[in-house]
Amino acid sequence: MMQRRAFLAAAGALAAATQIPFAKAKGNGATSAVCNPPVVPSSTKSRFAPLISGKTPGTLLSREDIAVSISGARAWRVRYISKDVNGVLHEVSGLVIAPTAPGKNRKLLTWCHGTTGLGDAACPSAQPDPVRDLITYFDATSTQQIDYGVPGLQGWINDGYVICATDYQGQGTPGQHQYEVNRTQARDATYLAHVARQMGVGAGPKLGCAGWSQGGGAAAAVAELDAADYGELKLIGSVSMSPVTTADLFDSTGGPSALGSDPSKPPEVHVAMMLAGLQIANPSTLKLSDFFTPLGVSIIETAWNIQPVHHIGDTIERLCLLKGPVMQAKPTNLAAWKSAVAAASGATRKAVAPLLLCMDNGVLNPLAYQQGLATRVKALGGSIETKSYPNDDHFSLPNSCASDARQWLNGLY
């Protein structure tokens, strides 16, 4: 199972489609609600979200108070409007967490979470006690099937931050998650910061960002967005923890372009999910069948919303061994796929704010992925510092480096 989170080291719940009912109006035109108990994610939820019109990114749709175990904090689960890599509007859920003490012009942090899956079974804010320090699937105390929480959350609250933690589109909201489409995740994180500014919690315009793994790639992309995405926000810096960018994963020696070399072997789960994420972001130009066999397409279309990352990875592996190839021997339409990757990936534009790269020991996430981010950011003219944690693997790193990340961002405010 550990290999499910290896990011190709050898080669280099649950808000279902059934909507939560909301009650009375409560400020800013948004609604307030009491959340129903978690339900099993829908097996019939459509991969394609309905088109949204008449809204603008950063619009708060609803908010509900949720219980908090962190000291001195209060929190809300919100739904809001964002847009994807291609400018298509979508609905997103997430958390806004703030100190209970009154305050003005507070420091603002947006957190980009790591890999959880493709749908509602992978929704961080729908887990038990979601307002907590990060706990991973591989922790001995874990009871859930995904990693969730914000590393060092108590420290951020103690330092007076308002914290935003997006679920990303498709995880608790309509449609499939655009997994590893860094620019979409970056916009979801940034527009949640706009939402927090509307909620009367004292959030100021200066924004810091931190993200891990998939979210590390998103954190790099947060520093590369368009001026319209930032609006009144002033990004002061972004922390990328053991990142994986779209381009790195796609171009790796075990990535999609190499899958046809032995189609009898199942694809690494992160590669399979990335292909599904890129396709759902670009449905007019990309097809699952460009890379997947009919069996592979059937697995994605059946399991995407109900199985989080480790589960769908095991499903892909078992059915490949039992029924035959999941991937095409000769993938097609590669030019269109590579164009989509270039548009999606972080570390492809000059960063507008400094970055801090926190690197683990590379045992589970190859150091080439992590170090490559610094090389590309510098080549594009951006500013990036690096800090190594040789005693940490991919999963222990976020909690180990959280205090350093907070200290670094504090120095930029």
Side-chain angles (χ1 to χ4, degrees), residues 30-121:
T31 55
S32 178
V34 176
C35 186
N36 285 336
V39 294
V40 176
S42 170
S43 62
T44 59
K45 177 184 172 184
S46 174
R47 293 182 66 231
F48 300 92
L51 292 178
I52 295 174
S53 61
K55 302 285 186 180
T56 57
T59 298
L60 174 62
L61 299 177
S62 66
R63 56 190 282 182
E64 57 182 286
D65 297 286
I66 60 173
V68 174
S69 59
I70 292 291
S71 176
R74 50 183 175 156
W76 302 263
R77 189 169 193 265
V78 301
R79 295 171 79 93
Y80 64 101
I81 297 295
S82 181
K83 63 181 179 180
D84 73 3
V85 62
N86 295 313
V88 177
L89 298 178
H90 55 243
E91 190 175 332
V92 196
S93 61
L95 300 173
V96 174
I97 311 160
T100 53
K104 296 181 180 180
N105 201 32
R106 292 190 185 278
K107 292 176 283 192
L108 184 58
L109 174 80
T110 194
W111 166 249
C112 302
H113 71 75
T115 298
T116 57
L118 293 173
D120 291 349

